[in-house]
Amino acid sequence: MPHADTLSLERLKTMVDEGTVDTVLVAITDMQGRLQGKRCAARYFVNEVVPHATEACNYLLAVDVEMNTVGGYEMSSWDRGYGDFVLRPDLSTLRLLPWQEGTALVIADIEWVSGGDVPASPRQVLRRQLARLAERDLAAFVGTELEFIVFNDTYEQAWQSGYQGLSPSNQYNVDYSLLGTSRIEPLLRRIRNGMTGAGLYVESAKGECNPGQHEIAFRYTDALATCDNHSIYKTGAKEIAAQEGKSLTFMAKYNEREGNSCHIHISLRSTAGDAVLAGDGEYGFSPLMRHFLAGQLACLREFTYFFAPNINSYKRFAPGSFAPTAIAWGQDNRTCALRVVGHGESLRVENRVPGGDVNPYLAVAALIAAGLHGIDNDLPLEREFTGNAYASDKPQVPANMRHAAELFAESEVARSAFGDEVVDHYLNYARIELAAYDAAVTDWEKVRGFERL
C-alpha cells in the first residue's frame, strides 16, 4: 500500500525540472533502527537510481552503534572483503522532507549484488512476517507511540559535557499539561507540521512525566508504512531539534526517572479489509483474537530481545514506572505487558514492553510471529489479569539483555519464524554489546570507588 500523501515519481521529475527539489535521500534502516544511506543529486536519482538502483557497503548491517567493524557476522566481514549490497528504492515511500530545503527521501529495500533479498535487513525481516500473514489472508495494522526528552542544550553541547548537567525543556512533570507543552510548542509544532508534510498523519502531542518528556502520536496504518514512518519521524525530530538549537533523546532510560516508551498497537484485518479480532465470544473477542493474544503471551519472554534490543532498554522495566515487569494481559490495564484496548473494529493489542530505542521493523515482526504462533497452534487464552500486575506472581519480562538474548537463542518459535540466519545475526549484536559493556568503567563505579573503596 502506498503511504498517504507520498510523492509520485512524475511529480518529483517535475519538481526536479523546476529546481524545487535538488536532493533525494536514499535510506535504509540499520540493525539499530537508524536511517542510513546517501544523498543523491535529484536528477541523478531520477535518471540512474530509479531504473538501476544504487549501492552501499554491506557493513551497514554488521557494525556496532559507533560504526566500528566487529567480528562474528556471517554476511559481512574482512574475510568477505566488505563488499556492497544494492539499495532498491521503494517508490511508494517517496516523499518530501519539509525541514530539509529542496529535499525528498525514499526508503530502499536491500538486495545482494548477485540477486536476492538480504534476510537480516530489518525491513526484510518484517516483510517475511507480513507475507506469512498474507498466506492466511490477513494483514497487520500498527501504530507506535514514541516518547522523547527535550533539552535546551544543543547536541554539540551535550556531547562536550559528557551528557552531564543538561537542562530539560521542562522543570517538572507536565503529563497532559497544556501549560507545560506550551513551553516548547514552537519545537513541537515544527515537528508536527514537518511530519505532516512528509506524509505522516499526526494525531496529537502531549506532555509526559519526566521533565522535558513529550510524545507526538500518529494515526495507525499498515504495518510496513508505520515502521517506515517511525524511522523517518525519529530522525526528522532530531534534525528539527538541532535546527532549533535544542536536542532530544529517545533513550529507553535516560535517568532514574520515567523512561521513554514506544507502546506498539497492533490489529489484524482480512486482506479484504474486514476487522477480524472482535467477535461474540468472551470479552468481545473472536476465536482468532483469543489465539493471537495467547501467542503474544507465549512468546513474549523469548521475543523480548526484539522489543528491548539494547543494554539500556532493560533499565526501564521497574515496578510502578508504567513500564511493564509482568507478562500478563488485561483490558485497559497499564500495569500489564499486554493491554487490550478498543471495541469492535478498533479492538487491538498494545504491547508496552518496547522503549524509545526499539527497531520498529523487528518489534512488529516479533508481534506478528508471536500472533501466528498462537493462531497456527490454537493456543488457549488465559483469564485476563485485573489489579496491579506489578505485585503479581506472573512470569517476568527478562531483566537484562544477557538473559533476553539467551531466551531468544533457545527459542524454537524464533528460529522457525525468522530463520537461523536472522536469529544468529542479531544474537551476534547482543554478544558485541555485552562484551563492550562488560569492559566499560562507569561513572557509578568511579563515584563509589575512587576514594571510598
Side-chain angles (χ1 to χ4, degrees), residues 337-359:
L338 298 170
R339 173 178 171 243
V340 175
V341 287
H343 306 278
E345 290 191 357
S346 71
L347 185 67
R348 60 196 185 276
V349 178
E350 176 193 57
N351 187 316
R352 298 177 61 81
V353 173
D357 61 339
V358 73
N359 185 323

Side-chain angles (χ1 to χ4, degrees), residues 74-326:
E74 178 64 26
M75 62 167 280
S76 180
S77 66
W78 291 115
D79 290 338
R80 291 180 175 271
Y82 283 118
D84 278 353
F85 43 38
V86 174
L87 311 187
R88 181 80 59 190
D90 178 350
L91 294 178
S92 72
T93 70
L94 186 64
R95 83 274 309 284
L96 295 174
L97 296 185
W99 60 91
Q100 299 284 1
E101 184 178 359
T103 300
L105 175 144
V106 68
I107 300 290
D109 285 308
I110 304 175
E111 303 170 0
W112 292 116
V113 173
S114 58
D117 296 324
V118 177
S121 163
R123 204 166 192 255
Q124 187 57 37
V125 173
L126 176 56
R127 279 191 181 277
R128 179 175 178 179
Q129 300 310 307
L130 293 174
R132 294 180 65 212
L133 272 180
E135 291 170 358
R136 297 157 176 81
D137 294 321
L138 294 171
F141 288 78
V142 170
T144 60
E145 299 175 337
L146 188 55
E147 296 172 352
F148 53 86
I149 301 174
V150 182
F151 298 94
N152 294 326
D153 314 83
T154 67
Y155 281 109
E156 291 75 17
Q157 290 166 340
W159 172 279
Q160 290 162 6
S161 70
Y163 303 99
Q164 300 295 316
L166 303 186
S167 173
S169 61
N170 300 97
Q171 288 69 52
Y172 49 84
N173 183 330
V174 296
D175 194 22
Y176 288 99
S177 168
L178 295 179
L179 175 64
T181 51
S182 72
R183 296 282 289 274
I184 61 163
E185 172 59 7
L187 173 62
L188 297 176
R189 184 171 183 269
R190 269 208 68 195
I191 295 174
R192 294 197 308 271
N193 290 344
M195 295 309 133
T196 299
L200 283 71
Y201 190 131
V202 178
E203 290 190 348
S204 61
K206 65 177 288 291
E208 292 289 345
C209 299
N210 203 331
Q213 189 176 48
H214 296 266
E215 173 188 286
I216 298 175
F218 299 87
R219 186 172 177 80
Y220 75 91
T221 185
D222 66 277
L224 186 62
T226 288
C227 293
D228 290 340
N229 289 344
H230 177 115
S231 298
I232 292 167
Y233 160 56
K234 195 170 178 180
T235 296
K238 292 177 183 177
E239 292 175 344
I240 293 170
Q243 292 169 5
E244 293 291 318
K246 297 182 183 293
S247 57
L248 58 83
T249 183
F250 293 96
M251 281 183 67
K253 191 73 168 177
Y254 167 72
N255 57 19
E256 291 74 20
R257 292 197 51 159
E258 295 82 4
N260 287 320
S261 69
C262 179
H263 304 145
I264 300 179
H265 294 246
I266 184 168
S267 64
L268 299 181
R269 297 183 189 177
S270 70
T271 50
D274 299 318
V276 296
L277 297 185
D280 55 9
E282 190 176 16
Y283 311 117
F285 293 175
S286 68
L288 186 76
M289 170 62 167
R290 297 182 67 85
H291 299 321
F292 180 78
L293 183 52
Q296 303 300 325
L297 289 166
C299 295
L300 200 151
R301 276 171 56 81
E302 298 173 22
F303 288 0
T304 292
Y305 176 50
F306 267 7
F307 301 134
N310 299 297
I311 287 167
N312 179 258
S313 309
Y314 296 83
K315 298 187 177 182
R316 192 176 135 261
F317 305 135
S321 67
F322 286 101
T325 58

Side-chain angles (χ1 to χ4, degrees), residues 31-32 61-65 70-73 302 304-306 308-314 362 400-410 415 422-439:
M31 294 174 65
Q32 293 82 8
L61 292 181
V63 292
D64 65 9
V65 175
V70 291
Y73 288 108
E302 298 173 22
T304 292
Y305 176 50
F306 267 7
N310 299 297
I311 287 167
N312 179 258
S313 309
Y314 296 83
L362 301 181
N400 55 64
M401 187 181 189
R402 183 170 280 105
H403 188 199
E406 290 170 353
L407 291 170
F408 189 65
E410 296 166 358
R415 292 190 177 276
V422 170
V423 171
D424 292 340
H425 186 88
Y426 283 92
L427 284 174
N428 190 62
Y429 175 72
R431 286 191 289 269
I432 295 295
E433 287 295 289
L434 287 166
Y437 183 71
D438 289 343

